[in-house]
Amino acid sequence: MSKSRRSVRFQHRDARRSSISDASDAASDPGSPTGNNAAVDRPATIPEEKPEQPLSEYEKKKQTFITRTIWTFVMIAGFFIAMFSGHIYIIGIVTAIQIISFKEVIAIANVPSKEKNIRFTKSLNWYFLATSMYFLYGESVIYYFKHILLVDRVLLPLATHHRFISFTLYVMGFVFFVASLQKGHYRFQFTQFAWTHMALYLIVVQAHFVMNNILEGMIWFFLPAALVITNDIFAYVCGITFGRTQLIQLSPKKTVEGFLGAWVCTIIFGYFMTNILMRYKYFICPVNDLGSNVLTGLECEPNPVFVPQEFTIPDWTGFGTSFYLAPMQLHILLFATFASLIAPFGGFFASGLKRTFKIKDFGESIPGHGGITDRMDCQFIMGFFAFMYYHSFIAVYKASVGDIIEAAITGLTVDEQFEVVRGLTKYLYNQGAVPESVLEVLSSELKRR
């Protein structure tokens, strides 16, 4: 019998075919040279390639670390470029993040719908996302730019009836959902409906408040985000260095020592970073021009929270003295505390969600990091807190041009609006701000009416 020639590879297909037929003939002839292992003339052979050895655990971790590091610097560079390019670019990044995060969370629940062949589930998810974004973004645009919208003939109806239009869009989606219910899948479809609304609240609604923070001033967006990142870094460093006691079962690697050590480090970082940022109007001024950037800058009267005030320590304490400090440097202590003690529970919530569905990451949007949601789980709740805290304790409420225009348009008749214009024009004329010709033209126009 002839030996098997599995290790032989021929240079081209014709040679391989001829060699196979020759070998079969030789095997049928007991006296053939092949049968006696004699040497025969054959085409040149190529040694068989050895199968690739699987990477060791060390090599896998090394590759992951390199990829993660590279993309970390890419994200940091992209973030700072966008931030200094202007507020509109940061708003674009936040919008992209909320859409991708919504997609990642919804994808977890969309797999069973494909298996059950349920129609319109994915389409309805995206419809409710679009409706929610239309409502929330519209609310922000109307609030911050009403002085532009309310004087435009085309945009005025959309601005004045925005909430009713949003409600109508939502009701249309609700009716379509009910009409698409399939017999035998009611429980599953209502579960999907609830899952979609949970994702809308936890991601889209909270991202909306992050966008409002940007419009209130870049510092209210950048500082909370930087505090969360700093806390995450120092929690890792302190945990490795001092960590002994497990903090929570959902994240076995989190330690009490790392948790508290990161709190102290975050407070120190927040204090000094605040002292730097509040020196620049580009960070502390609300947005009045979406085309502005770090080169053009912004102008405004600084919020009193950024103006140093005199604080006095009573004599009975034994440290009686006076010093100047901006109130923001005290507020940042609470910001840093929330970022250290409360915001991490957003990450714990995400960890519990992933364990429930037995997944490692929400997606693969960022190489080496997982999904966008894996990086933003603490940022959403921190941005929400920053918005609520700012409007509760820091914001200065006063009538704006947009507020006056809105009150005049919605609360006065056309004749009353003309009276307001005439009164303002007369006042400006008396102050020398407008020439007499303007007052005469306006008066003649009013007499025609």
PDB file of all heavy atoms in Angstrom, residues 66 301 415 417:
ATOM      1  N   ILE A  66      -3.247  48.818  24.061  1.00  0.00           N
ATOM      2  CA  ILE A  66      -2.741  49.738  23.034  1.00  0.00           C
ATOM      3  C   ILE A  66      -3.898  50.391  22.283  1.00  0.00           C
ATOM      4  O   ILE A  66      -3.921  51.607  22.072  1.00  0.00           O
ATOM      5  CB  ILE A  66      -1.815  48.987  22.060  1.00  0.00           C
ATOM      6  CG1 ILE A  66      -0.531  48.531  22.779  1.00  0.00           C
ATOM      7  CG2 ILE A  66      -1.455  49.873  20.867  1.00  0.00           C
ATOM      8  CD1 ILE A  66       0.363  47.649  21.934  1.00  0.00           C
ATOM      9  N   GLU A 301     -21.965  90.112  30.970  1.00  0.00           N
ATOM     10  CA  GLU A 301     -21.721  90.512  32.351  1.00  0.00           C
ATOM     11  C   GLU A 301     -21.633  89.241  33.187  1.00  0.00           C
ATOM     12  O   GLU A 301     -22.588  88.473  33.245  1.00  0.00           O
ATOM     13  CB  GLU A 301     -22.864  91.398  32.861  1.00  0.00           C
ATOM     14  CG  GLU A 301     -22.670  91.881  34.280  1.00  0.00           C
ATOM     15  CD  GLU A 301     -23.828  92.726  34.756  1.00  0.00           C
ATOM     16  OE1 GLU A 301     -24.645  93.149  33.916  1.00  0.00           O
ATOM     17  OE2 GLU A 301     -23.917  92.952  35.971  1.00  0.00           O
ATOM     18  N   ASP A 415     -52.734  96.581  17.913  1.00  0.00           N
ATOM     19  CA  ASP A 415     -52.728  98.002  18.259  1.00  0.00           C
ATOM     20  C   ASP A 415     -51.899  98.258  19.508  1.00  0.00           C
ATOM     21  O   ASP A 415     -51.161  99.251  19.597  1.00  0.00           O
ATOM     22  CB  ASP A 415     -54.162  98.492  18.477  1.00  0.00           C
ATOM     23  CG  ASP A 415     -54.960  98.524  17.175  1.00  0.00           C
ATOM     24  OD1 ASP A 415     -54.312  98.658  16.106  1.00  0.00           O
ATOM     25  OD2 ASP A 415     -56.194  98.405  17.220  1.00  0.00           O
ATOM     26  N   GLN A 417     -49.407  96.451  20.525  1.00  0.00           N
ATOM     27  CA  GLN A 417     -48.009  96.263  20.152  1.00  0.00           C
ATOM     28  C   GLN A 417     -47.445  97.520  19.508  1.00  0.00           C
ATOM     29  O   GLN A 417     -46.303  97.923  19.763  1.00  0.00           O
ATOM     30  CB  GLN A 417     -47.884  95.073  19.204  1.00  0.00           C
ATOM     31  CG  GLN A 417     -48.165  93.726  19.870  1.00  0.00           C
ATOM     32  CD  GLN A 417     -48.296  92.599  18.867  1.00  0.00           C
ATOM     33  OE1 GLN A 417     -48.078  92.783  17.677  1.00  0.00           O
ATOM     34  NE2 GLN A 417     -48.680  91.425  19.357  1.00  0.00           N
TER      35      GLN A 417
END
